[in-house]
Amino acid sequence: MEEYKKRIIKTIQYIDHHLDTRLSLEKIAEIGAYSPFHFHRIFKMITGETLQSYIIRKKIEKSAFYLAVKKTIGIKEIYLELGFSDHSAFNKTFKKYYGISPSEFRRSAPGSFHRILAVESKNGQVSTVFDQYICNVENLLNWTKMNLKIKVADLQEMNLASVMSLGTANVESSYGILIEWAKKKHLFPKDHVKMISVYHDSFKVTPPAKVRIHACMLLDKKLEAQEGEIFPETIDAGKCVVGSGEVTLNDFEQCWVSLFLWMNENSYTMRKAFPFEIYHSNFKEHPEGKMWVDFCIPIH
């Protein structure tokens, strides 16, 4: 199973970087060093989805995020970037997933304080529900002032050893795999070791059970090659909005919402890079379950 996961990780990374191209079964199977027949079966066994379902879901979720958050980008620009040949094909696929057209979705999307859900009604029809994260903006801003110190900082390049987690329920076990690997390499435990979570999907548009989170460890030098489920990952140097504070796991959602609010109100835009968390302490070692965390959004 470990070897299967290692090769599926390569294919998922390839898919994510090529959503704007034609992704054929044959090409992706080749990336994972499988025959097309065996790859299709193994991909579904590990991810719980067929390859085609996974690709379509990734394209549509990404388009939904752009429609809701980046309202200055034209719909045509969005669907062409994601590899849809024309408006009709994009419109039909989007409506099948969210129950309404992309233009209706954009008009009804309330912005950065809501989670976007696709819900099937009793008659089998799909409808879109915007589930509110935080009701009162003023209360959120007051909470932020008390709990987070927000700044814009230029962060250096970070070389990571990473383990992919499919779904929030599997993050802890992914860190377990990473720590066991690090112990064998004599990289853990050490005082300066930092753990980092990189979010490759947004909770705004992706169900928690399907969100991809990379459990990572910051390394002094780059990992040259994949070792089992451990693979190299790099966070590029650049400007970030950084919110720092001592919080509990239950506070994480508020931290992220408030950080994106601060980013928007200060006229920053997100780079094509993934948000991440840097942990400076372990909540399991604190009597109140708190930990020091940097919440980071890469920006222009």
Side-chain angles (χ1 to χ4, degrees), residues 67-251:
L67 288 165
V69 177
K70 299 186 176 185
K71 298 198 175 186
T72 58
I73 300 178
I75 291 177
K76 183 176 182 180
E77 185 179 346
I78 291 171
Y79 74 68
L80 288 177
E81 181 177 333
L82 292 171
F84 288 93
S85 58
D86 55 56
H87 184 272
S88 176
F90 174 60
N91 190 75
K92 183 178 179 181
T93 308
F94 190 95
K95 195 168 184 177
K96 183 178 179 181
Y97 199 89
Y98 282 111
I100 54 178
S101 70
S103 56
E104 290 173 310
F105 180 93
R106 170 166 274 178
R107 284 195 298 271
S108 59
S112 60
F113 301 103
H114 294 70
R115 182 186 290 110
I116 302 164
L117 305 171
V119 178
E120 189 171 313
S121 64
K122 290 180 180 179
N123 62 8
Q125 295 297 309
V126 177
S127 60
T128 303
V129 176
F130 296 97
D131 179 35
Q132 196 165 18
Y133 283 145
I134 306 296
C135 295
N136 191 307
V137 174
E138 187 176 343
N139 286 345
L140 176 61
L141 292 173
N142 290 336
W143 183 91
T144 303
K145 288 177 184 177
M146 292 175 62
N147 293 278
L148 281 184
K149 181 179 178 182
I150 300 179
K151 64 180 180 181
V152 173
D154 287 308
L155 301 186
Q156 295 181 339
E157 180 182 85
M158 287 179 258
N159 293 309
L160 311 175
S162 303
V163 176
M164 183 181 293
S165 171
L166 290 173
T168 53
N170 298 313
V171 176
E172 189 170 353
S173 62
S174 293
Y175 271 110
I177 293 168
L178 181 63
I179 289 169
E180 286 304 310
W181 171 85
K183 285 178 179 177
K184 292 176 184 176
K185 297 281 185 179
H186 305 292
L187 300 172
F188 186 89
K190 288 183 179 179
D191 291 339
H192 70 284
V193 169
K194 285 188 173 59
M195 298 298 184
I196 296 174
S197 289
V198 182
Y199 292 88
H200 286 252
D201 290 314
S202 169
F203 285 94
K204 187 179 179 68
V205 294
T206 303
K210 293 181 179 179
V211 166
R212 281 181 309 112
I213 303 169
H214 289 184
C216 311
M217 178 181 290
L218 183 62
L219 303 177
D220 292 330
K221 59 181 182 179
K222 191 172 183 179
L223 182 66
E224 293 301 325
Q226 187 167 343
E227 300 179 18
E229 291 187 58
I230 315 296
F231 58 89
E233 184 169 8
T234 301
I235 296 176
D236 293 331
K239 190 181 294 184
C240 289
V241 175
V242 181
S244 304
E246 189 179 30
V247 296
T248 68
L249 293 175
N250 291 333
D251 295 325

Side-chain angles (χ1 to χ4, degrees), residues 263-278:
M263 180 189 76
N264 292 334
E265 290 201 338
N266 287 274
S267 302
Y268 291 106
T269 56
M270 190 174 172
R271 280 189 277 131
K272 285 189 176 181
F274 301 109
F276 55 96
E277 298 160 352
I278 304 174

Side-chain angles (χ1 to χ4, degrees), residues 57-70:
R57 178 173 66 80
K58 294 299 298 178
K59 286 174 179 278
I60 293 301
E61 286 177 353
K62 194 167 187 178
S63 71
F65 183 82
Y66 286 159
L67 288 165
V69 177
K70 299 186 176 185

